């Protein structure tokens, strides 16, 4: 074989010797720059191949030879690391690189689309009730401190709505689900399903309600969130995405927080749209079961939309699915529902 | 003896019999290639997935080796010699501890607090173990680096000093950072020779104070703008428009991002320029504006490519950092001698990467 230019270090000092290395007849021979050395290849270890990076050959006495990578080096050294030699061959073939990319992307998509929601659902279901209730209390405390004020609704009105709401509950559910009213000028018309069973309605939402059945439509939607533990699952999924993004982009520490925060934010919206649709379906089922047309859901959604359009300049950042689709879905179901019971619901139109 | 056999050609040509010491500049060179590294990175990722994480130890070694081996100074590349199995063992131990922490924290806030405290207590130990592991398995010209553990100093500089920071309105913070950098530099050895650190805590204050001041002014400025904007745009029911709700934190963050890049450049320069090994020194010329451009464009590229440009981003950052670093040789680079080394366990090193403790220079 031809002579190769290499750097020899005796392992005792940092002096570099520029030598010529020849691999021949099962031996490595070095000469030049005050070095003359000959060793059987079987006594030497070579570092695994990695891109075009230089290879280091280690002698038993700690000396090292650093030389440029070449195709024939692995064949000469039987001692090469088998795992890394195989990995190196994979890295060099574009087909296997493409396969690796496909595996990585597919795993990421499957994990985020199905794996994370599945795991969050199972964890949420096993969460001790006391932990969930404690979580809900601390969220409500925070909201009370920063966004909420005591409700200004007349107690009789609150009492009446609470009574109507209780009718929606299934037997035994009244022990775990409570409702609360709050004045929330900073938030506007809205309702929240907190972990642990508390559903909060803002006075501003109640003010929008005409018929009580509109209130019940929103309540049924929030009850759907509550029954499916959506708030807890949303929080769990958010943490899981943040951890995954940090693992994936962990080496890019400089801009790490943005690289983690943006996908977390976008996926949060994605997950939340799925939860909203699920809560809508649950609400329609509850309403129909109690003889209330889903059309009331459509009418209150229209009012909420009109209210929100005054203030929202970035509707696509909304966590809810497009309102038009939800209204259409509610009206579609309402048509079927009312066709079965025409007389009772004529007043809606 | 011809000391410049492997000179990279930047310095003057050697003259036989010339008086020593003479000064030669050796620029750090980085020869990594984004396409080549992409292949290594994506295969690492896929094998890590199909082996449920076991391969990540091999992935780490191949990544580290790639960046070390592609970094050269004075003609010789750096060498990363850690073995995957040692890293795997360290990772498994770290994972069990971290998993226990994460799980226990789910059930009780007090357990979570106790564990957070435990980690704070462990942090200085982890800093030392991590540095010792990295140094032990890093080599240049056939000679390994070494980090001499000094746990007492580690606990003073990475734990005890922090306790005083709140009482000084944060003004002690640059002092603490200076003490930490000095510790990391001075405990390192190359060929038995200790590194020295010539910067004083006072040298750290101008950069940090400027960064604090800019951060403060930026926050104030934004607050005024925000208050003004709310006054004009607020709707009847008192809700601010979402443009402000989302735009304000974004602008806030953008400001800190800019400050971070400039602070990072200036502190890196300060630290590198203060490193001495015998009479040799380092010279670093990072520019905040260039670093900011690299950080910002890297971030956008990574987001837009759903992460596929991470390898490209890593390579270009490493290239810029290497390009800005020069070894100022004064005297002989050949006289460093090997000292006896014992193996260093990877557990500490892997724990600090799991808990994301930043000990970079």
């Amino acid at each position: 074989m031809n002579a190769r230019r290499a750097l020899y270090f005796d392992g005792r000092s940092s002096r570099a010797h520029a030598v010529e290395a020849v691999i021949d007849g099962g031996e490595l021979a070095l000469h030049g720059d005050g070095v003359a050395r000959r060793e059987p290849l079987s006594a030497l270890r070579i570092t695994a191949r990695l891109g075009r990076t230089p290879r280091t050959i280690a002698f038993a006495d700690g000396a090292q030879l650093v030389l440029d990578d070449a195709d024939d080096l692995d064949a000469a050294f039987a001692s090469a690391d088998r795992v890394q030699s195989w990995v190196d061959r994979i890295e060099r073939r574009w087909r296997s690189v493409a396969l690796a990319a496909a595996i990585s992307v597919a795993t990421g998509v499957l994990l985020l689309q199905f794996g994370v929601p599945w795991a969050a659902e199972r964890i949420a279901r096993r969460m001790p009730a006391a932990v969930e209730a404690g979580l809900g209390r601390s969220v409500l405390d925070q909201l009370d401190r920063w966004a909420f004020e005591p409700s200004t609704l007349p107690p009789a009105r609150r009492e009446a709505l609470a009574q109507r709401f209780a009718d929606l509950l299934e037997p035994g559910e009244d022990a775990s689900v409570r409702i609360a009213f709050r004045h929330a000028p900073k938030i506007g018309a809205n309702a929240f399903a907190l972990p642990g069973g508390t559903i909060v309605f803002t006075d501003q939402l109640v003010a929008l309600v005409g018929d009580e059945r509109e209130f019940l439509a929103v309540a049924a939607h929030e009850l759907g969130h509550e029954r499916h533990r959506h708030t807890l699952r949303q929080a769990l999924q958010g943490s899981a995405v943040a951890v995954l993004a940090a693992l994936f982009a962990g080496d890019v520490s400089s801009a790490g927080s943005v690289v983690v925060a943006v996908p977390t934010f976008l996926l949060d919206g994605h997950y939340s749209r799925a939860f909203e649709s699920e809560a809508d379906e649950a609400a329609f089922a509850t309403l129909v079961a109690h003889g209330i047309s889903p059309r009331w859901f459509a009418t209150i959604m229209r009012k909420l939309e009109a209210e929100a359009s005054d203030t929202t300049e970035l509707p696509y950042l909304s966590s809810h699915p497009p309102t038009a689709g939800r209204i259409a879905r509610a009206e579609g179901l309402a048509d079927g529902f009312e066709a079965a019971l025409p007389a009772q619901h004529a007043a809606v139109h | 003896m011809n000391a410049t056999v492997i000179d990279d050609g930047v310095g003057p040509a050697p003259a036989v019999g010339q008086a020593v010491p003479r000064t030669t500049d050796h620029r750090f060179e980085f020869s990594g290639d984004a396409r080549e590294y992409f292949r290594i990175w994506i295969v690492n990722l896929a094998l890590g997935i199909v082996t449920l994480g076991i391969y990540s130890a091999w992935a780490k070694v191949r990544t580290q080796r790639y960046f070390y081996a592609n970094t050269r100074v004075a003609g010789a590349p750096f060498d990363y010699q850690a073995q995957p199995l040692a890293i795997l063992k360290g990772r498994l131990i770290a994972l069990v501890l971290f998993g226990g922490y994460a799980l226990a924290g789910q059930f009780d806030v007090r357990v979570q607090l106790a564990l957070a405290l435990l980690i704070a207590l462990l942090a200085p130990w982890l800093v030392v173990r991590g540095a010792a592991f990295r140094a032990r398995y890093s080599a240049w010209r056939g000679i390994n680096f070494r980090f001499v553990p000094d746990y007492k100093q580690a606990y003073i500089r990475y734990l005890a000093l922090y306790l005083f920071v709140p009482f000084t309105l944060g003004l002690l913070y640059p002092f603490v950072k200076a003490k930490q950098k000095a510790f990391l530099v001075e405990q390192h050895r190359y060929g038995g020779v200790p590194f020295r650190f010539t910067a004083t805590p006072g040298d750290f204050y101008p950069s940090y104070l400027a960064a604090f001041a800019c951060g403060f002014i930026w926050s104030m400025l934004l607050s005024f703008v925000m208050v003004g904007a709310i006054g004009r745009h607020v709707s009847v029911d008192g809700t601010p428009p979402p443009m402000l709700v989302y735009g304000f934190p974004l602008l806030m963050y953008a400001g800190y991002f800019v400050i971070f890049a400039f602070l990072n450049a200036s502190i890196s320069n300060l630290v590198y320029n203060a490193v001495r090994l015998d009479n040799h020194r380092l010279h670093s010329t990072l520019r905040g504006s260039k670093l900011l451009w690299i950080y910002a464009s890297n971030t956008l590229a990574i987001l837009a490519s759903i992460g596929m440009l991470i390898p490209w981003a890593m390579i270009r950052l490493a290239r810029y950092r290497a390009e800005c670093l020069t070894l100022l040789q004064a005297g002989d680079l050949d006289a460093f001698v090997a000292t006896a080394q014992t193996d260093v366990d990877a557990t500490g090193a892997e724990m600090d990467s799991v808990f994301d403790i930043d000990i970079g220079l």
Side-chain angles (χ1 to χ4, degrees):
Chain A
M1 275 188 211
N2 293 332
R4 306 158 202 260
R5 289 168 50 89
L7 291 178
Y8 175 76
F9 304 98
D10 62 14
R12 293 186 297 278
S13 90
S14 59
R15 161 113 203 253
H17 303 263
V19 297
E20 294 212 316
V22 178
I23 296 171
D24 198 17
E27 285 192 327
L28 171 70
L30 313 177
H31 69 273
D33 203 8
V35 178
R37 191 164 183 183
R38 185 173 281 274
E39 294 283 345
L41 293 178
S42 56
L44 306 174
R45 282 186 305 115
I46 189 164
T47 53
R49 204 173 187 201
L50 178 65
R52 294 165 296 109
T53 58
R55 311 291 291 272
T56 303
I57 295 169
F59 294 73
D61 63 0
Q64 291 184 357
L65 187 75
V66 177
L67 70 173
D68 286 343
D69 183 39
D71 287 332
D72 56 353
L73 279 174
D74 271 353
F77 289 86
S79 64
D81 180 328
R82 286 226 184 111
V83 174
Q84 293 200 53
S85 301
W86 177 75
V87 173
D88 177 72
R89 283 199 296 280
I90 288 184
E91 286 165 0
R92 280 170 205 279
R93 289 189 193 125
W94 75 264
R95 267 173 229 247
S96 42
V97 168
L99 180 66
I103 289 174
S104 305
V105 172
T107 307
V109 170
L110 290 176
L111 204 59
L112 294 173
Q113 183 70 40
F114 303 109
V116 167
W118 179 82
E121 200 269 330
R122 295 184 70 98
I123 293 173
R125 213 190 310 151
R126 281 167 177 69
M127 184 80 77
V131 175
E132 213 178 327
L135 213 62
R137 257 196 312 278
S138 72
V139 174
L140 188 57
D141 282 349
Q142 290 296 317
L143 286 169
D144 275 339
R145 196 165 305 160
W146 301 111
F148 287 162
E149 292 162 25
S151 174
T152 55
L153 294 174
R157 172 82 162 139
R158 273 183 276 165
E159 195 54 46
L161 291 174
Q163 206 56 55
R164 296 286 281 122
F165 173 78
D167 294 340
L168 292 182
L169 298 179
E170 281 170 13
E173 213 174 19
D174 51 348
S176 58
V177 179
R178 292 163 306 282
I179 70 167
F181 295 93
R182 294 286 191 276
H183 181 62
K186 290 180 199 161
I187 291 175
N190 215 327
F192 304 88
L194 304 179
T198 303
I199 297 176
V200 182
F201 298 91
T202 66
D203 292 356
Q204 287 72 9
L205 176 84
V206 176
L208 276 188
V209 168
D211 191 292
E212 265 183 5
R213 283 171 288 192
E214 288 180 343
F215 171 78
L216 292 179
V218 176
H221 173 87
E222 297 304 323
L223 198 55
H225 281 317
E226 209 59 74
R227 285 173 177 158
H228 290 104
R229 290 190 160 81
H230 281 160
T231 313
L232 185 59
R233 283 160 65 187
Q234 178 90 1
L236 288 169
Q237 291 178 190
S239 330
V241 171
V243 169
L244 286 174
L247 274 179
F248 176 61
D251 290 335
V252 208
S253 58
S254 53
S257 45
V258 189
V259 166
V260 172
V262 172
T264 307
F265 176 73
L266 292 176
L267 280 163
D268 213 42
H270 172 73
Y271 290 142
S272 127
R273 280 187 290 278
F275 286 151
E276 293 306 328
S277 299
E278 197 176 27
D280 279 0
E281 293 306 318
F284 302 149
T286 305
L287 291 175
V288 168
H290 288 83
I292 300 168
S293 170
R295 197 172 304 282
W296 294 108
F297 184 82
T299 62
I300 186 71
M301 283 301 288
R302 284 227 168 78
K303 289 184 186 173
L304 281 166
E305 193 185 28
E307 166 96 352
S309 66
D310 293 342
T311 52
T312 304
E313 291 171 27
L314 296 169
Y316 51 88
L317 285 176
S318 158
S319 61
H320 286 64
T323 312
R326 302 172 69 191
I327 291 174
R329 169 88 182 133
E331 287 180 334
L333 287 170
D335 289 343
F337 176 82
E338 287 157 18
L341 297 156
Q344 204 177 332
H345 294 275
V348 176
H349 294 282
Chain B
M1 182 173 87
N2 186 351
T4 46
V5 182
I6 51 154
D7 201 336
D8 59 357
V10 173
V16 180
Q18 187 183 331
V20 285
R22 58 185 184 280
T23 305
T24 313
D25 293 355
H26 304 278
R27 295 192 72 136
F28 280 71
E29 296 162 44
F30 183 75
S31 51
D33 174 73
R35 286 158 167 243
E36 185 178 67
Y37 180 57
F38 174 81
R39 292 164 167 258
I40 294 165
W41 178 81
I42 197 76
V43 169
N44 277 345
L45 187 61
L47 288 178
I49 289 167
V50 297
T51 61
L52 300 176
I54 292 172
Y55 184 78
S56 69
W58 278 261
K60 175 170 182 173
V61 167
R62 283 180 87 72
T63 303
Q64 293 290 86
R65 276 188 57 211
Y66 189 80
F67 282 86
Y68 273 59
N70 275 309
T71 307
R72 286 173 177 260
V73 68
F78 287 85
D79 194 10
Y80 182 78
Q81 303 167 329
Q83 292 301 310
L85 278 175
I87 290 183
L88 183 62
K89 204 183 100 200
R91 280 205 166 171
L92 288 177
I93 294 172
L95 195 70
V96 168
L97 292 176
F98 182 71
Y101 163 73
L103 275 182
Q106 292 289 328
F107 294 106
D108 196 334
V109 183
R110 277 163 301 177
V111 175
Q112 208 170 12
L113 278 176
L115 282 162
L117 193 69
L118 183 69
I119 286 175
L121 286 175
L122 271 178
W125 179 80
L126 292 175
V127 167
V128 170
R129 300 312 301 165
F133 182 79
R134 269 181 288 274
R136 168 65 185 84
Y137 297 107
S138 299
W140 181 64
R141 289 183 163 205
I143 305 284
N144 288 71
F145 290 82
R146 194 153 77 89
F147 184 85
V148 182
D150 181 343
Y151 293 102
K152 188 182 155 207
Q153 279 303 316
Y155 272 92
I156 291 174
R157 298 180 190 209
Y158 283 92
L159 188 64
L161 283 180
Y162 276 127
L163 302 178
F164 297 99
V165 172
F167 302 110
T168 59
L169 298 171
L171 285 175
L172 195 67
Y173 187 76
F175 175 84
V176 178
K177 281 286 154 196
K179 285 296 192 192
Q180 291 176 352
K181 302 289 186 197
F183 176 71
L184 282 180
V185 172
E186 288 169 349
Q187 296 310 114
H188 272 95
R189 308 281 182 272
Y190 177 68
V193 179
F195 283 85
R196 283 172 296 117
F197 190 67
T198 61
T200 63
D203 297 335
F204 283 71
Y205 273 84
S207 303
Y208 275 105
L209 290 181
F212 287 158
C214 290
F216 182 73
I217 292 170
W218 181 245
S219 312
M220 282 290 123
L221 209 67
L222 276 184
S223 306
F224 282 124
V225 171
M226 170 113 170
V227 168
I230 287 180
R232 273 184 289 115
H233 291 297
V234 119
S235 52
V236 193
D237 61 348
T239 324
M243 194 186 74
L244 282 176
V245 175
Y246 296 107
F248 184 69
L250 266 178
L251 278 176
M252 199 71 135
Y253 190 85
Y256 295 145
F257 196 79
V258 172
I259 294 167
F260 170 79
F262 279 87
L263 182 65
N264 191 323
S266 102
I267 295 296
S268 296
N269 288 340
L270 173 62
V271 170
Y272 283 125
N273 290 336
V275 171
R276 301 284 182 278
L277 182 68
D278 278 349
N279 292 319
H280 312 298
R281 23 191 311 200
L282 292 173
H283 184 56
S284 170
T285 56
L286 291 167
R287 289 209 327 272
S289 54
K290 180 78 196 236
L291 212 52
L292 173 63
W293 158 245
I294 292 177
Y295 284 157
S297 50
N298 274 358
T299 303
L300 291 179
I302 289 169
L303 289 176
S305 66
I306 53 161
M308 291 299 121
L309 284 176
I310 286 176
W312 174 79
M314 287 167 71
I315 292 282
R316 88 192 253 266
L317 185 60
R319 170 166 299 125
Y320 178 63
R321 296 198 85 105
E323 272 171 5
C324 288
L325 200 57
T326 308
L327 169 65
L328 307 181
Q329 176 193 350
D332 199 352
L333 275 181
D334 294 353
F336 296 100
V337 294
T339 54
Q341 293 261 28
T342 49
D343 283 349
V344 175
D345 178 58
T347 309
E350 288 309 309
M351 271 172 73
D352 79 25
S353 57
V354 166
F355 291 115
D356 198 19
I357 294 166
D358 177 28
I359 62 157
L361 265 181

